[in-house]
Amino acid sequence: MCPCSLDIPDSPAVFPYPIETLVPQSGRMVLLDRVLEVGDSHIVVELEVREDGLFSCSDHSVPTWVGLEYMAQAIAAYSGYHRKCRGEAIGLGFLLGTRYFECSVGSFPCGAKLTVSAEKIIEAANDMSVFDCTITGQNIKASSKLNVLLPQDSQKFLAGKGI
């Protein structure tokens, strides 16, 4: 069983799970590189904006709206880590919306190293949560509050919706 809270040193080999095992995304859709820190109500992850990524533009940048996906994947990794700690399978989560999104730049330059933090500030009994999220990098600061649904059993939830 994994500990409830980890502070991960600079060595990525210390964290017990690769990021790909914590999120439901696969292949090139996994946009994060590694977990730096995870705790009871927060996670900090890191990524390098990829030149060959799915969202890369010809001007060697990625649109800032992709920052919402970076934040959502950080929340997915948070959920995935805690599910693994409880011996559960990784489940789907749903981004319901954002209360705002502010960013100091118009796009993220390819090659930039970004740190994404997500802290759970509200958790409701109906599996809905609100996370306060930030993205930081050299001369980059973005912030948003994301509303998410993290059902205990995503398959049962979807079946109940006829999906």
Side-chain angles (χ1 to χ4, degrees), residues 65-125:
W65 57 262
V66 177
L68 290 170
E69 180 63 19
Y70 295 153
M71 293 172 177
Q73 285 194 23
I75 295 168
Y78 165 85
S79 176
Y81 175 77
H82 287 282
R83 284 175 174 270
K84 277 192 173 287
C85 285
R86 295 189 303 266
E88 300 170 3
I90 302 303
L92 293 177
F94 303 93
L95 174 60
L96 302 177
T98 180
R99 295 187 181 188
Y100 67 91
F101 179 75
E102 294 179 324
C103 191
S104 63
V105 295
S107 61
F108 301 118
C110 290
K113 293 208 185 284
L114 302 178
T115 301
V116 183
S117 301
E119 182 171 356
K120 186 178 356 176
I121 56 175
I122 298 172
E123 182 175 21

Side-chain angles (χ1 to χ4, degrees), residues 14-141:
V14 174
F15 190 73
Y17 306 114
I19 197 78
E20 299 83 14
T21 66
L22 301 177
V23 296
Q25 293 87 348
S26 62
R28 293 180 59 207
M29 199 53 216
V30 177
L31 304 180
L32 308 177
D33 293 332
R34 69 183 185 121
V35 174
L36 298 177
E37 179 183 321
V38 65
D40 290 339
S41 62
H42 76 282
I43 190 165
V44 181
V45 299
E46 182 179 68
L47 68 106
E48 181 174 332
V49 180
R50 298 184 185 117
E51 184 82 35
D52 63 348
L54 293 174
F55 302 104
S56 299
C57 298
S58 61
D59 68 351
H60 308 286
S61 71
V62 169
T64 54
W65 57 262
V66 177
L68 290 170
E69 180 63 19
Y70 295 153
M71 293 172 177
Q73 285 194 23
I75 295 168
Y78 165 85
S79 176
Y81 175 77
H82 287 282
R83 284 175 174 270
K84 277 192 173 287
C85 285
R86 295 189 303 266
E88 300 170 3
I90 302 303
L92 293 177
F94 303 93
L95 174 60
L96 302 177
T98 180
R99 295 187 181 188
Y100 67 91
F101 179 75
E102 294 179 324
C103 191
S104 63
V105 295
S107 61
F108 301 118
C110 290
K113 293 208 185 284
L114 302 178
T115 301
V116 183
S117 301
E119 182 171 356
K120 186 178 356 176
I121 56 175
I122 298 172
E123 182 175 21
N126 61 357
D127 294 331
M128 290 180 59
S129 296
V130 178
F131 283 79
D132 190 11
C133 301
T134 61
I135 299 173
T136 56
Q138 186 173 4
N139 300 317
I140 297 171
K141 174 77 172 158

